[in-house]
Amino acid sequence: MRMCYDPDDEDEFEAGRDLLVDRLERWAARCGEPRGQVDAFAVATALDYRHLGTLDGRLGLWEPRHVKEYLLDWAPRTVTVLPDEELPDAPGALRLLLRFLHAAYLADPRGPGLDTQLAAVDEAARTYREAMADRSRFGPAKFWLTLAAEHGSDTTSQEDLDRFVERVHAGEIDHDEAALAVVARRHLIEGPADARRSEPQLPVALPSEQELRADAERITLLTQLRLLSEWAGQQGRPLTTTGRLKTADARELAERLATGDARTEAVRSLDDLPRLNLVFELARQARLVRVVKGSLYAVAKAAPELKDRLALWRRAFDAVFGLRRPLLGAKSSRHVESLLFDTYEDTLADILNTLYSLPHPMPWPRLRDSVDYGHRVRLQLDDQAPAMWFDHAHRDLRRLLDVLDQLGAIERTRGRPAPEFLEAPAYSDPPALPTGMPAALAALLPEQPPAPAFDTGELGGESVELISLSPLGTWAVRARLLDEGRDAPLVGELRHAPAAGLLGVLADHYDTDSARSELTAWTQAHAGPDSALAQLLDAVRDMPFRGRAQAMLDTLLVALPEPEGERLVRSLRGDPRLAPYAIGVLVQRDLLDPDDLTDAESLVIVAEGMLQLLEITGPDGLAETALTREPDLCDTIEAALAAPHPDRAALAELEEAAARLPRTGRARGERRRGGRGSGTGRGGKKRGQGR
């Protein structure tokens, strides 16, 4: 059981979600909450939101922004409450879920504390009911399903929905045109509510702050920004009537800042000094200087950043996102802006996010073609779009890369591209349609643009331009990713996390090398190897989810230096609590041959497998399995119940579930939805859900 699933792992996620809901209900009952009072459907939608509706998909991490977005955006957009249905208690369900995640050692240690989370729920709950009634917040599927139900259509009947669509096209259905316009525009720009997952980022290692500061000290552009601010001063410098530097001042500044602009004596306007113009516009966007009543002044509040080279670099880097018009805008009425002008901020973010944590520099042709594809999708361009449009965008993309290079955010070299770029797929999938939307209603949506082919013919040379982020660029992009709600692991950030939180994050998000580095840092921060190992093993013992406990032990095996990890796990074969996990890990990693197991260990492995199957499927899922595997499953369960497994309480639950197994049932291959029978699976929701 994981706390983060790939978007395509629908079956695995649903099984994990239903397990969490089931365990939450049991935990709530032990805490005195009546089981029937827990809104399991609302808990499930909260987990759906974190899995489907957020960029990172981390089920155990809830920042205040996630709480607000779930209650005031996702739920109003996706959870369809038909006429006469009761509004789900999403705020109450979320409070319960947050408390459970902390109690079950599932809360991500990189998130805020429980008190902060609960306060965020209380704040958002004040306007939850109002948001759920606001039709402009609905998704397209919910908008039309709700309207269909209000006009007497059976939303489960394809025939009724077909008639409803005909009435819409005939103009017979009154609806809120303004709200629909907002809904349609949002769907076109943002896509479906469940199409937001970003690509997972590998953990990165960053230099120390001292090293980053030293890198910033070497950036000439920062010195020029400081000198421009000092030149403007608190007294101000008069500008032209169009708000630009006067010619004489421009010549003086070009010399003073050593911009490298040629022929300063022949300058007639700032356009003749492109490098100085970049400094001037970047300083304005960074709020180092400002224009007041026709004069240029230094911004007093920026003085601390001017003295802090690293802070100044970050301020300048963020200001690049505001350079669209000064960098790419038309210089006169005879010129037209390129495609990149129309998509500037989004494309810049895509470029930086693409380069982030790549193990190899990206070749220019791949970067250029990916930007072209982004233009086609965002601007709804088909194959008939003139090639000249893209040529102009490539020219402006070069300008943007030049700025990032001057700022020290990227590094450009030449060489042979890594093989991974030669093997990239030729096509990308077009944006998905809303999940669960009936075919008849999907016809009301605009068509999605086709995905173009990427050209890989330029990648075979020995001197291809290669682009990567610098350490400063990686540092700044990571900060922006975190601000956007994305997962951007940093080696060393977990050194003070609880042991269960550490192993859980490593198991879900870290590759082997990064996990080893992180575990080394954590061990050093926890009084050395002996103390650290004791805490880590206790965390595995205390984990109430069997599959996750075994994954945590497996992570410990691979994250410890060889052969220390294997030696540790082998020593646990006789541990009264951890033996089943230890034997399972060793067998799965082919470090222990099944023929070398003792008879008792063989039975323990069988029993642990059945217990984990019961955990993830529930009694109903076990019954479903019995329909296709009987009598083999019954024989396996019988062997498991006879095993010397240390968890006798879990075996008792298995025995109880086995007693309810059917001996006959549905035809082979018939698939059941919502295995636990809790009403939280997609096929058994007690309320409609539309995206």
Side-chain angles (χ1 to χ4, degrees):
M1 196 274 293
R2 307 196 303 272
M3 293 302 289
C4 189
Y5 297 85
D6 290 337
D8 295 333
D9 293 342
E10 182 176 351
D11 289 340
E12 289 187 43
F13 164 70
E14 288 186 1
R17 178 198 62 193
D18 291 350
L19 171 60
L20 285 172
V21 173
D22 179 70
R23 290 292 185 87
L24 179 147
E25 290 183 298
R26 297 189 194 185
W27 170 82
R30 292 195 299 270
C31 293
E33 188 84 21
R35 190 178 180 101
Q37 297 300 312
V38 176
D39 194 332
F41 171 80
V43 174
T45 64
L47 294 170
D48 283 344
Y49 156 72
R50 279 306 266 128
H51 171 64
L52 296 169
T54 57
L55 294 169
D56 60 324
R58 290 176 284 178
L59 304 180
L61 191 146
W62 287 81
E63 296 177 348
R65 59 181 160 189
H66 297 128
V67 170
K68 180 179 180 180
E69 185 174 57
Y70 165 61
L71 292 176
L72 304 183
D73 182 84
W74 170 270
R77 189 176 182 185
T78 66
V79 179
T80 302
V81 184
L82 298 178
D84 300 326
E85 286 186 339
E86 181 183 352
L87 187 70
D89 181 18
L94 184 55
R95 291 188 189 96
L96 204 60
L97 174 61
L98 294 172
R99 289 168 49 207
F100 171 70
L101 292 174
H102 284 271
Y105 311 108
L106 297 175
D108 194 306
R110 297 168 292 182
L114 179 59
D115 289 344
T116 300
Q117 294 172 329
L118 294 178
V121 176
D122 292 342
E123 177 67 24
R126 296 171 184 167
T127 53
Y128 166 70
R129 183 174 293 274
E130 177 184 345
M132 287 293 289
D134 183 352
R135 296 193 180 229
S136 68
R137 298 182 187 232
F138 288 10
K142 177 179 177 179
F143 184 93
W144 292 114
L145 282 172
T146 302
L147 197 62
E150 289 172 344
H151 283 77
S153 297
D154 179 357
T155 58
T156 66
S157 167
Q158 184 66 40
E159 184 178 352
D160 268 24
L161 290 176
D162 287 340
R163 282 197 298 268
F164 171 74
V165 172
E166 291 175 0
R167 294 176 64 194
V168 171
H169 288 311
E172 299 175 5
I173 301 296
D174 292 331
H175 55 274
D176 189 334
E177 292 283 359
L180 179 59
V182 174
V183 169
R185 177 173 175 76
R186 180 181 185 182
H187 177 75
L188 188 63
I189 294 176
E190 299 181 11
D194 57 356
R196 301 186 57 204
R197 181 72 66 87
S198 63
E199 290 294 322
Q201 301 287 0
L202 292 174
V204 298
L206 286 174
S208 66
E209 181 178 325
Q210 182 179 3
E211 293 172 295
L212 290 172
R213 198 174 296 279
D215 287 346
E217 289 288 347
R218 292 189 283 269
I219 306 299
T220 301
L221 185 55
L222 296 187
T223 301
Q224 295 168 338
L225 290 171
R226 178 179 57 79
L227 291 174
L228 175 61
S229 176
E230 292 174 354
W231 176 82
Q234 299 300 311
Q235 311 306 317
R237 300 276 185 162
L239 300 174
T240 67
T241 56
T242 59
R244 310 191 76 188
L245 292 171
K246 293 185 175 181
T247 302
D249 289 339
R251 292 197 191 102
E252 176 192 342
L253 272 176
E255 297 290 344
R256 181 172 180 174
L257 273 57
T259 61
D261 286 305
R263 300 179 59 193
T264 56
E265 70 282 354
V267 168
R268 288 186 293 180
S269 74
L270 195 57
D271 291 335
D272 297 325
L273 299 170
R275 296 180 182 176
L276 177 61
N277 191 37
L278 171 63
V279 177
F280 177 71
E281 296 295 348
L282 191 60
R284 291 181 63 179
Q285 290 297 328
R287 299 290 296 162
L288 302 175
V289 297
R290 60 175 179 162
V291 177
V292 178
K293 295 182 179 179
S295 294
L296 186 71
Y297 294 88
V299 176
K301 292 182 178 179
E305 280 85 355
L306 291 171
K307 297 176 182 178
D308 183 336
R309 197 74 167 193
L310 190 57
L312 177 59
W313 189 93
R314 175 63 195 277
R315 192 160 180 160
F317 175 82
D318 290 340
V320 174
F321 284 83
L323 288 181
R324 182 184 74 142
R325 185 163 295 282
L327 186 64
L328 307 181
K331 304 304 180 185
S332 70
S333 59
R334 294 175 297 175
H335 297 84
V336 178
E337 289 90 357
S338 73
L339 301 175
L340 184 57
F341 180 85
D342 295 328
T343 67
Y344 178 80
E345 289 189 25
D346 290 335
T347 298
L348 175 56
D350 285 349
I351 291 171
L352 296 171
N353 295 345
T354 298
L355 296 177
Y356 182 82
S357 84
L358 279 180
H360 307 287
M362 190 173 195
W364 156 255
R366 290 293 293 143
L367 180 61
R368 177 201 64 206
D369 291 348
S370 68
V371 170
D372 285 351
Y373 171 62
H375 287 148
R376 290 186 182 277
V377 172
R378 288 192 175 97
L379 303 177
Q380 299 286 292
L381 302 177
D382 58 25
D383 293 337
Q384 304 303 313
M388 179 179 64
W389 292 0
F390 295 94
D391 291 339
H392 290 170
H394 300 161
R395 175 202 63 200
D396 282 352
L397 180 57
R398 286 288 191 187
R399 290 179 181 173
L400 175 57
L401 293 178
D402 287 343
V403 172
L404 294 173
D405 195 0
Q406 291 181 55
L407 189 57
I410 63 171
E411 297 174 349
R412 291 195 277 190
T413 58
R414 303 196 77 86
R416 176 180 287 276
E420 290 85 342
F421 292 107
L422 302 177
E423 300 168 1
Y427 291 93
S428 296
D429 293 332
L433 294 175
T435 300
M437 174 170 268
L441 297 188
L444 298 171
L445 295 177
E447 292 185 3
Q448 302 291 347
F454 285 114
D455 180 11
T456 58
E458 304 171 65
L459 300 175
E462 296 286 345
S463 186
V464 178
E465 182 179 1
L466 305 176
I467 305 165
S468 60
L469 287 181
S470 68
L472 278 170
T474 301
W475 169 71
V477 172
R478 179 176 182 271
R480 291 184 67 91
L481 290 173
L482 294 176
D483 288 344
E484 294 169 4
R486 302 192 182 204
D487 187 14
L490 175 66
V491 174
E493 68 177 332
L494 297 172
R495 66 174 65 243
H496 299 300
L502 169 77
L503 291 177
V505 171
L506 297 187
D508 285 339
H509 301 287
Y510 276 58
D511 61 284
T512 299
D513 291 339
S514 300
R516 286 176 177 168
S517 299
E518 194 69 62
L519 182 60
T520 298
W522 192 90
T523 299
Q524 293 171 350
H526 288 77
D530 292 342
S531 174
L533 278 180
Q535 295 177 59
L536 293 167
L537 291 178
D538 282 344
V540 178
R541 291 187 181 95
D542 294 340
M543 172 50 59
F545 294 87
R546 313 192 70 85
R548 190 164 183 82
Q550 183 163 319
M552 290 164 64
L553 187 60
D554 180 75
T555 297
L556 193 54
L557 182 150
V558 299
L560 287 170
E562 297 180 2
E564 184 180 337
E566 180 180 345
R567 186 165 55 242
L568 170 69
V569 177
R570 284 186 180 277
S571 72
L572 299 174
R573 288 174 67 178
D575 187 276
R577 178 72 177 86
L578 300 180
Y581 304 145
I583 299 169
V585 167
L586 293 169
V587 170
Q588 287 178 2
R589 289 200 169 268
D590 295 326
L591 298 174
L592 184 62
D593 193 297
D595 292 337
D596 294 332
L597 296 175
T598 66
D599 291 343
E601 287 177 331
S602 296
L603 287 173
V604 166
I605 281 292
V606 171
E608 184 60 31
M610 293 308 306
L611 291 177
Q612 291 195 26
L613 177 64
L614 176 63
E615 176 180 78
I616 198 64
T617 66
D620 292 340
L622 192 66
E624 173 72 14
T625 304
L627 294 175
T628 57
R629 290 178 53 187
E630 186 190 7
D632 293 344
L633 182 65
C634 294
D635 293 341
T636 304
I637 292 176
E638 185 177 346
L641 294 176
H645 194 285
D647 194 338
R648 308 312 296 178
L651 287 180
E653 290 188 12
L654 177 62
E655 185 174 22
E656 180 182 346
R660 301 202 303 268
L661 290 182
R663 298 301 171 179
T664 59
R666 292 168 293 188
R668 288 181 181 270
E670 184 177 338
R671 188 168 183 266
R672 180 187 154 279
R673 303 303 301 272
R676 292 180 174 271
S678 62
T680 62
R682 288 189 187 276
K685 287 185 177 177
K686 64 185 178 184
R687 300 181 182 88
Q689 186 166 357
R691 297 186 178 89

